[in-house]
Amino acid sequence: MVRFAGVGVCNTAIDWALFLVLHERLGITLANFCSSSAGMVFSFVVNGLFTFRAERLTLRQAGLFVATTGAVMWVAQPLLIHGWLWALETVVDDGDLRLAAAKLASIACSLALNFAAYRLVVWPITHTSVER
């Protein structure tokens, strides 16, 4: 989990920074799609090889990764961003700060879902991986 968290920090930095740069030009949903997609590519490669110690990355893993991560990042995360914007409306006056906080909060909510999906679906523990 420590490795996953470390990769997550880097992935989050990529996602968050790109989102903040792109959201005014592209809108929340498209900016989130672009930024989370860039983070997903980084996350797939580094989590696969470093965190879950896959011997190699396969097309099957890539498909499962995109399906599981896509469900969280492309469906749940935009909804979470809008929900956090609504929840923070009376608490944070500055719109840019509120948007940044909403994006970060939605990323935090996605962390547990993604880890479970990766461990259970994309890179499950098998008999051979336990013996290594």
Side-chain angles (χ1 to χ4, degrees):
M1 188 68 160
V2 171
R3 282 184 248 207
F4 183 74
V7 172
V9 167
C10 296
N11 177 54
T12 299
I14 292 166
D15 184 2
W16 191 52
L18 280 174
F19 177 79
L20 293 178
V21 168
L22 297 174
H23 86 275
E24 283 188 20
R25 291 182 199 115
L26 302 179
I28 288 173
T29 302
L30 187 55
N32 188 72
F33 178 81
C34 292
S35 66
S36 62
S37 296
M40 281 173 56
V41 171
F42 172 83
S43 183
F44 173 69
V45 172
V46 179
N47 271 315
L49 298 175
F50 177 68
T51 304
F52 297 105
R53 297 183 183 195
E55 291 181 13
R56 62 189 173 88
L57 300 176
T58 67
L59 286 176
R60 180 181 185 281
Q61 291 168 341
L64 291 170
F65 185 90
V66 169
T68 57
T69 307
V72 173
M73 304 304 282
W74 297 333
V75 176
Q77 203 170 85
L79 295 172
L80 286 164
I81 291 169
H82 286 287
W84 279 108
L85 284 171
W86 175 80
L88 295 170
E89 190 171 343
T90 59
V91 179
V92 181
D93 290 332
D94 183 279
D96 290 336
L97 180 60
R98 186 170 52 251
L99 181 63
K103 175 64 175 175
L104 282 176
S106 70
I107 290 169
C109 293
S110 303
L111 179 70
L113 292 172
N114 280 333
F115 183 82
Y118 300 162
R119 174 47 70 209
L120 298 172
V121 177
V122 182
W123 296 289
I125 297 174
T126 62
H127 182 67
T128 56
S129 66
V130 173
E131 291 177 352
R132 279 196 257 159

